[in-house]
Amino acid sequence: MNNFDLEKTLSTIVYIFDSREKKNDHIKAYFEKHGIQFKVQKLDEGDYQIEGNPNITVDRKQNMQEVYNCVVNDKSRFMKEVRRCYQKRIKLYVLIE
């Protein structure tokens, strides 16, 4: 795939942001500034997906403190999401900013 094909392919991707994700204005601003297509809707797993590919999802954590809270203080909720992804054969990636 040459650069033209890659750019053409990337320009057709629509990213989905979970409507419950609250602190992502900086990400939306980046996408808008660079003309990257996205839409906001409720996602059952993760915070971000690519439209048409529900088998991969990204769960964004703002920092290590949020990771700690998820695996120590709110472990059952996080593990339910991990189990749902496993059962549905969804690859869950955790992105730490």
Side-chain angles (χ1 to χ4, degrees):
M1 181 179 291
N2 62 40
N3 283 343
F4 176 75
D5 293 337
L6 179 61
E7 287 178 23
K8 184 177 177 184
T9 300
L10 290 174
S11 70
T12 64
I13 294 174
V14 178
Y15 296 88
I16 303 172
F17 294 9
D18 184 25
S19 58
R20 296 166 294 172
E21 177 79 338
K22 300 297 179 204
K23 298 182 179 179
N24 65 355
D25 288 339
H26 64 292
I27 297 170
K28 288 178 183 176
Y30 179 89
F31 275 51
E32 289 169 350
K33 178 180 178 182
H34 295 282
I36 302 170
Q37 298 180 68
F38 71 92
K39 64 183 181 179
V40 178
Q41 71 183 48
K42 181 181 175 288
L43 294 174
D44 293 327
E45 289 81 33
D47 300 317
Y48 304 94
Q49 288 181 355
I50 294 176
E51 187 174 56
N53 190 359
N55 297 326
I56 298 174
T57 191
V58 175
D59 190 33
R60 182 180 68 92
K61 304 299 178 201
Q62 293 178 353
N63 51 44
M64 290 304 293
Q65 182 64 47
E66 187 177 0
V67 173
Y68 175 83
N69 288 335
C70 282
V71 297
V72 175
N73 298 332
D74 201 9
K75 183 178 180 179
S76 65
R77 186 172 143 246
F78 182 69
M79 290 310 296
K80 283 179 187 177
E81 182 173 25
V82 170
R83 278 190 215 98
R84 279 194 320 270
C85 288
Y86 177 77
Q87 291 168 347
K88 294 179 178 182
R89 298 181 188 252
I90 296 172
K91 291 184 181 182
L92 174 65
Y93 293 92
V94 178
L95 173 69
I96 305 167
E97 284 190 81

